[in-house]
Amino acid sequence: KAGVTQTPRYLIKTRGQQVTLSCSPISGHRSVSWYQQTPGQGLQFLFEYFSETQRNKGNFPGRFSGRQFSNSRSEMNVSTLELGDSALYLCASSPVGGFTDTQYFGPGTRLTVL
Amino acid sequence: AQRVTQPEKLLSVFKGAPVELKCNYSYSGSPELFWYVQYSRQRLQLLLRHISRESIKGFTADLNKGETSFHLKKPFAQEEDSAMYYCALLAGGGNKLTFGTGTQLKVEL
């Protein structure tokens, strides 16, 4: 079974621009979660989508948004980029979510904001 | 709000020595706790979850609600155990994980 894939793997943007990251979950998985990883803050939950609906949301500003398509693929968008948005963005998928599920992580998208 | 604390950024042990990676949590409800591991150049992956009460790669972790801890232990460290270890808490429905800051385990020969 193919693992979680994320595209692109690397991105360089400048302040003020916007960016869209993509995540393809494992086939059959309906829950997709996004995390931001930085050296200073560690791994922080952004949001989770399940069956095209946002089910959980972390404490990030409204510049961070996401969506999920009917095939469970998910995108996250960051508008008006700031230097502090430079991070590794991880996507994880699981069948339905919850403590009995296992979340499978993708390799991440490394975003650099100049 | 929930919080997960891993007090050690780096833990260095010799091969064959016991390992204990500390994790403390704060959460008002009934927590579901996990240990995730990231080996060099690999993806973050689940190591074990408390509800399974299983031993994976010789690692075990016991949830102590009185001390709000979920320490990861292994009696004899192996070189291949060198990795970054994250303790995580799942609260509420869905898949919202709160991670600790991680502990880098280095097993020396």
Side-chain angles (χ1 to χ4, degrees):
Chain A
K1 205 183 247 191
V4 177
T5 58
Q6 292 186 245
T7 56
R9 293 294 311 279
Y10 302 91
L11 263 179
I12 299 176
K13 293 286 187 178
T14 56
R15 278 184 301 174
Q17 287 186 309
Q18 76 163 11
V19 67
T20 299
L21 313 182
S22 181
C23 172
S24 292
I26 291 171
S27 177
H29 286 189
R30 293 162 62 193
S31 168
V32 175
S33 299
W34 289 89
Y35 295 84
Q36 182 196 64
Q37 186 174 27
T38 60
Q41 299 296 318
L43 278 154
Q44 293 187 286
F45 174 83
L46 281 154
F47 28 66
E48 179 203 6
Y49 285 87
F50 178 76
S51 293
E52 301 179 66
T53 302
Q54 188 179 85
R55 180 160 66 178
N56 280 296
K57 189 177 188 308
N59 297 322
F60 279 81
R63 301 186 297 107
F64 292 82
S65 63
R67 59 178 175 167
Q68 187 180 33
F69 302 94
S70 58
N71 62 358
S72 293
R73 190 177 69 85
S74 177
E75 289 182 345
M76 68 163 280
N77 184 277
V78 188
S79 62
T80 320
L81 283 165
E82 300 176 0
L83 294 179
D85 297 333
S86 293
L88 182 67
Y89 290 88
L90 295 174
C91 160
S93 78
S94 75
V96 292
F99 61 88
T100 58
D101 256 8
T102 295
Q103 289 195 59
Y104 294 88
F105 282 81
T109 293
R110 171 77 60 187
L111 172 65
T112 302
V113 182
L114 302 175
Chain B
Q2 55 267 28
R3 180 185 291 271
V4 176
T5 303
Q6 294 179 251
E8 302 138 330
K9 284 186 116 171
L10 173 66
L11 182 64
S12 190
V13 301
F14 286 107
K15 179 181 174 181
V19 174
E20 183 178 48
L21 301 170
K22 292 184 170 25
C23 171
N24 288 90
Y25 67 90
S26 65
Y27 179 56
S28 56
S30 185
E32 304 297 339
L33 287 150
F34 305 80
W35 278 97
Y36 280 79
V37 61
Q38 188 165 28
Y39 300 101
S40 178
R41 296 180 185 157
Q42 292 188 29
R43 304 180 183 198
L44 191 63
Q45 59 185 287
L46 177 68
L47 179 63
L48 56 80
R49 71 189 88 206
H50 94 268
I51 196 170
S52 300
R53 301 187 65 81
E54 57 197 343
S55 173
I56 303 292
K57 299 184 179 182
F59 284 98
T60 58
D62 289 318
L63 176 60
N64 186 323
K65 291 188 178 181
E67 295 183 359
T68 60
S69 68
F70 187 57
H71 302 328
L72 183 68
K73 299 177 184 178
K74 184 170 183 177
F76 308 104
Q78 301 299 313
E79 192 180 357
E80 56 266 28
D81 296 329
S82 293
M84 190 73 169
Y85 291 80
Y86 295 93
C87 182
L89 182 153
L90 188 69
N95 270 342
K96 183 179 179 179
L97 281 171
T98 298
F99 283 92
T101 49
T103 298
Q104 181 72 47
L105 175 64
K106 184 178 177 184
V107 180
E108 300 185 71
L109 299 176

